[in-house]
Amino acid sequence: MLGWLFARSPIDPVEKAWVEKSMLWLAHHYSLQRMLSATVKLPEQEVTFENYRPDPEHVHKLFDWLSMQIPGAKDKVALEIVSQSCGHHVDAEATSPNTISIADNPGARQVIRIGQEQLRNPYLVSADLARGLAAQEISALSHTSPPSPASWLTDLATVYFGWGLLIAHSQTGNGTGNGNCGDCSGPTIQNSAPLRLVGYALALFSHVRGEPPADYCRQLRPDAAVAYDRSWNYLRRTSDTIFSRATAEQRPAEQGRGEQLLRQLRKGSASARVAALWD
């Protein structure tokens, strides 16, 4: 029970609290069952990256493969391959040709735009497609106040929907991607969440689902595997997280009860105390 006193968190307490609170937000808006029943998309599964060809036909196959996670995705989102490489854009259909944030027109059908030059890297393409689909799902909750920054929440949503391994493959240590585009106003790979946060979210995902770390580690590149493995082992040793099956199934009003918050402040770990102060 006191294991967390002798173990070191793999990420900063404020970051840890933010990831766990964001995962709870996703659970409350999409249900815990959606995460528990999500099919984890693996690079070696169904669409083999070894046989990938950098052409629109293969990108559309990746899009179809990922869209199976989102009910009615084809009615909500379309895919376009454009000549300019600019990370991924998610634009509202029938609006200005300039790239806009999806939040500007949440009721319209959305378009994910992938640059032609980016097609050479299947991991970046699949990650950007997953981000675009997740961003569209979050934009539909226009009546809520999601955690910020929005682009980081989008990355956590991809983990929640089962695309976390693909996202981790595309990530660098500080969360920035390849290329540069000063005109992008929607979520792009340039402002994605740091790898250590994605690794921790992926560890929460597999820990709550009761899945062994070996299944994930062998699918990750070395630096991503280290970030994930450290996080999973910390959770195994300490169970120090406010994101669990029990808390995810509680209503938000129940989570904010005074007695529970006082208990977190008095006896919780550093990240639990931060989360209690935010409430």
Side-chain angles (χ1 to χ4, degrees):
M1 186 171 65
L2 298 179
W4 59 267
L5 291 173
F6 310 102
R8 184 175 180 178
S9 171
I11 57 176
D12 175 89
V14 174
E15 293 178 334
K16 183 174 177 294
W18 182 86
V19 171
E20 293 170 2
K21 292 280 289 182
S22 297
M23 292 291 277
L24 281 173
W25 185 89
L26 291 166
H28 294 150
H29 287 87
Y30 295 108
S31 83
L32 176 64
Q33 186 57 39
R34 182 161 180 179
M35 188 197 81
L36 296 177
S37 61
T39 301
V40 177
K41 295 296 187 181
L42 307 177
E44 298 175 357
Q45 188 180 50
E46 295 184 45
V47 179
T48 59
F49 285 26
E50 291 180 0
N51 299 326
Y52 174 83
R53 297 188 310 275
D55 58 47
E57 180 183 356
H58 225 81
V59 174
H60 277 277
K61 287 182 180 179
L62 280 174
F63 180 63
D64 293 343
W65 179 59
L66 293 169
S67 297
M68 292 188 295
Q69 301 286 83
I70 304 293
K74 291 299 185 66
D75 297 327
K76 303 174 185 177
V77 188
L79 171 64
E80 288 184 7
I81 310 299
V82 296
S83 58
Q84 182 181 6
S85 180
C86 204
H88 87 261
H89 305 267
V90 186
D91 299 346
E93 200 170 63
T95 60
S96 166
N98 297 324
T99 302
I100 64 172
S101 169
I102 58 173
D104 292 340
N105 197 354
R109 189 169 186 242
Q110 309 298 324
V111 180
I112 299 175
R113 291 189 169 94
I114 299 289
Q116 186 76 38
E117 295 179 2
Q118 191 179 337
L119 303 189
R120 292 172 294 185
N121 189 323
Y123 294 106
L124 288 180
V125 171
S126 62
D128 275 351
L129 290 173
R131 286 189 180 96
L133 287 164
Q136 189 281 330
E137 283 287 279
I138 293 174
S139 75
L141 300 174
S142 57
H143 60 287
T144 67
S145 299
S148 60
S151 58
W152 287 20
L153 179 65
T154 297
D155 279 356
L156 263 60
T158 64
V159 174
Y160 199 87
F161 297 147
W163 301 318
L165 292 172
L166 301 176
I167 294 297
H169 267 291
S170 75
Q171 221 76 324
T172 58
N174 61 4
T176 57
N178 299 323
N180 183 33
C181 176
D183 295 329
C184 296
S185 59
T188 71
I189 195 171
Q190 280 75 37
N191 54 3
S192 54
L195 179 59
R196 63 185 182 276
L197 269 62
V198 174
Y200 186 67
L202 191 57
L204 285 171
F205 176 89
S206 60
H207 181 74
V208 171
R209 284 165 52 113
E211 295 169 327
D215 292 347
Y216 285 70
C217 284
R218 64 169 170 260
Q219 294 288 337
L220 293 168
R221 64 173 205 244
D223 56 341
V226 168
Y228 165 78
D229 193 52
R230 286 176 177 170
S231 298
W232 194 92
N233 279 309
Y234 177 82
L235 292 169
R236 177 185 60 82
R237 291 177 59 190
T238 67
S239 296
D240 171 30
T241 175
I242 61 170
F243 178 68
S244 64
R245 291 197 181 208
T247 58
E249 290 174 342
Q250 288 178 345
R251 294 194 301 271
E254 292 176 335
Q255 286 194 315
R257 289 181 300 183
E259 291 183 6
Q260 182 173 339
L261 293 178
L262 285 174
R263 186 164 58 251
Q264 277 185 230
L265 288 169
R266 291 170 178 167
K267 299 182 179 180
S269 64
S271 61
R273 294 196 298 272
V274 170
L277 289 172
W278 286 344
D279 284 335

